[in-house]
Amino acid sequence: MNSAVRENTIEQLLSDNNYAKAFDIIVEQYKKRLYWHIRKIVLLHNDADDVLQNTFVKVWRYLEGFNQNSKIYTWLFRIATNEAITFINNKKKKEEESFENYEHYLSNTLESDEYFDGDNAQLILQKAILTLPEKQRIVFNMKYFDEIKYEEMSEILETSAGALKASYHHAVKKIEKFVKQY
Amino acid sequence: MTVKSFNNINNNSAFKVPENYFDNFSQEIETRIFEENIKNQFGNKNPFNVPENYFENFKSDILGKQKNKFAKIIKITRPWLSAAAGIIIIFTLWQFLLTGIENKNNYAENNDSLKSENTFVIANYQSDINTIDIKYLEPEINAYIDEADADQIYEDVNENNNDTTINSDDETVYQYFIDYADDNDYTELLADL
């Protein structure tokens, strides 16, 4: 099922008030893409799993009120992004209470994470990404790894394409500078 | 003459560029150069993986967790739900009885069409009463839970539910009930009432 047919099927089911069936299709069709989007933000598998579940619980809760003026894909990614940011902010608060820098904690945990199979070079890249401010990190991941177009990203992140291009520019510049040390 | 013609062609060109295209051009080139440097050194392959069968089991996992939460919440809220649903059903039956009496009087006035209509309603009502969807009782249940000792409910839910914690400020027990219950749960609940 291509993405246009998939979106049409879901929209039709929503128009028919068949929310349960629409939800089933949404989970099946988007769970992998949303997972990888979330995973690149939170980095650790268990955290990504929590955020993905929270995302779908939110989707189920608000599906009835979904405004079909926007694409379902955009809506889902927006919820997933917000859930991931909320999750990170909550974690940061907890880490700050224990006087540990969250990015530092993530960086160390990633090295021993059994679900990270990148080589040393990829570990350096992830550490470089962790030095970026949150928004730049999300933009960098979406563009660099997933090659999402600025127009699509703009709808998901509710930021102008121009601002996203500037964010990406700053991100690659900082990362290039960081990795030159290695 | 040649220069003038060239200038005319240029000014009348049908081609346009996006706004600020040339202003941002150098930045875009710089971005591409940095990006390619990073890609040459690190690639852009996804370095993460997931546990075996994670995606295959994801759907059943999420439903399983919700079902557990639901079961615990049902256990805690059942006294309120039972009472609320019981009151509503008795009230509905009472209303129905009154309607029936009224219709019987109408029947006494030899209204044949009304008689057949009411027979149809009675038949449907009797067949539906065992499978009535408790969703129809939402406002009543909500109101009943609101009137109950909310603090005690939140405390009980949090104590009995290891998977999640709810907050009396932003989530009601009722919302949890609605979020985590599916049609089978409603049917089971009704059967227990």
Side-chain angles (χ1 to χ4, degrees):
Chain A
M1 204 189 287
N2 70 38
S3 61
V5 173
R6 194 163 55 215
E7 290 244 343
N8 286 343
T9 308
I10 294 167
E11 280 167 15
Q12 187 56 52
L13 287 165
L14 292 177
S15 300
D16 297 341
N17 296 336
N18 194 346
Y19 301 108
K21 182 73 181 162
F23 181 70
D24 282 349
I25 294 176
I26 288 169
V27 174
E28 279 314 304
Q29 297 296 328
Y30 290 101
K31 62 185 175 187
K32 283 190 186 176
R33 293 182 69 186
L34 291 176
Y35 173 86
W36 290 119
H37 174 65
I38 293 165
R39 179 74 187 272
K40 287 186 195 92
I41 301 172
V42 301
L43 300 188
L44 306 177
H45 166 71
N46 287 340
D47 292 348
D49 181 45
D50 275 353
V51 175
L52 185 63
Q53 294 203 27
N54 293 344
T55 299
F56 280 121
V57 168
K58 280 269 164 72
V59 168
W60 172 244
R61 186 178 295 169
Y62 296 114
L63 194 57
E64 207 167 324
F66 168 63
N67 176 359
Q68 294 204 27
N69 289 336
S70 64
K71 287 181 191 164
I72 192 101
Y73 158 87
T74 311
W75 184 63
L76 294 172
F77 269 72
R78 200 179 298 149
I79 293 175
T81 307
N82 290 338
E83 283 298 311
I85 291 172
T86 304
F87 183 90
I88 284 180
N89 289 339
N90 288 340
K91 276 245 175 179
K92 270 184 184 171
K93 264 185 209 165
K94 282 181 191 167
E95 295 303 329
E96 277 166 16
E97 281 166 16
S98 60
F99 302 104
E100 192 176 4
N101 176 282
Y102 178 65
E103 280 74 20
H104 188 248
Y105 154 80
L106 267 186
S107 176
N108 288 338
T109 311
L110 200 57
E111 282 183 51
S112 54
D113 185 7
E114 62 174 312
Y115 301 119
F116 179 78
D117 60 7
D119 54 20
N120 194 43
Q122 280 161 335
L123 187 61
I124 291 168
L125 177 58
Q126 287 302 321
K127 286 183 176 183
I129 297 169
L130 274 171
T131 63
L132 301 175
E134 195 172 81
K135 188 74 178 279
Q136 278 179 27
R137 198 156 83 204
I138 292 169
V139 173
F140 179 82
N141 282 327
M142 290 174 90
K143 182 80 176 76
Y144 185 83
F145 290 106
D146 300 331
E147 295 173 355
I148 295 176
K149 290 178 182 162
Y150 286 118
E151 289 70 25
E152 260 180 48
M153 223 190 283
S154 168
E155 284 180 38
I156 293 166
L157 301 177
E158 295 176 299
T159 307
S160 73
L164 293 171
K165 281 180 189 178
S167 264
Y168 188 63
H169 176 78
H170 292 305
V172 287
K173 202 170 175 179
K174 282 181 196 165
I175 286 175
E176 218 236 1
K177 193 178 169 192
F178 181 93
V179 298
K180 266 185 182 164
Q181 309 167 55
Y182 294 91
Chain B
M1 183 66 189
T2 312
V3 171
K4 195 180 174 190
S5 301
F6 178 79
N7 283 340
N8 282 342
I9 290 168
N10 199 29
N11 288 340
N12 294 328
S13 170
F15 300 106
K16 289 192 187 312
V17 294
E19 203 179 342
N20 301 327
Y21 173 74
F22 291 112
D23 297 342
N24 299 329
F25 190 75
S26 59
Q27 181 182 295
E28 294 206 7
I29 293 296
E30 203 180 29
T31 303
R32 285 278 301 275
I33 292 168
F34 288 139
E35 187 186 50
E36 277 174 28
N37 286 346
I38 300 167
K39 276 187 183 166
N40 287 339
Q41 198 175 344
F42 302 99
N44 67 340
K45 188 177 152 268
N46 177 9
F48 302 104
N49 62 33
V50 292
E52 210 177 337
N53 297 325
Y54 171 71
F55 288 116
E56 288 76 7
N57 296 332
F58 180 76
K59 185 70 190 295
S60 52
D61 273 1
I62 193 171
L63 291 181
K65 283 177 186 174
Q66 288 188 11
K67 186 102 176 170
N68 285 342
K69 285 176 187 173
F70 170 73
K72 287 168 186 168
I73 289 157
I74 280 293
K75 196 177 165 193
I76 293 157
T77 56
R78 179 161 289 148
W80 288 276
L81 292 171
S82 302
I87 289 164
I88 300 305
I89 288 170
I90 290 165
F91 178 74
T92 310
L93 284 172
W94 177 247
Q95 287 291 96
F96 181 73
L97 189 65
L98 288 178
T99 310
I101 291 166
E102 193 181 322
N103 288 338
K104 198 174 175 183
N105 292 337
N106 289 339
Y107 176 74
E109 291 169 11
N110 295 322
N111 190 334
D112 287 342
S113 65
L114 188 60
K115 176 195 168 192
S116 64
E117 189 185 316
N118 278 329
T119 308
F120 176 74
V121 172
I122 290 166
N124 274 331
Y125 189 87
Q126 284 173 338
S127 68
D128 283 346
I129 193 150
N130 291 327
T131 56
I132 185 171
D133 194 333
I134 205 164
K135 282 173 188 167
Y136 297 128
L137 307 176
E138 280 181 17
E140 288 79 7
I141 293 172
N142 211 0
Y144 205 84
I145 289 173
D146 283 347
E147 284 171 16
D149 184 352
D151 288 342
Q152 186 59 45
I153 300 174
Y154 296 125
E155 203 175 288
D156 288 346
V157 172
N158 290 331
E159 202 173 278
N160 286 279
N161 193 340
N162 296 326
D163 292 326
T164 192
T165 302
I166 67 165
N167 185 334
S168 59
D169 294 326
D170 53 29
E171 299 251 30
T172 66
V173 174
Y174 176 75
Q175 190 56 51
Y176 253 73
F177 176 88
I178 295 303
D179 286 346
Y180 297 125
D182 59 22
D183 288 345
N184 289 336
D185 293 320
Y186 284 118
T187 311
E188 277 174 30
L189 173 71
L190 194 74
D192 287 346
L193 289 176

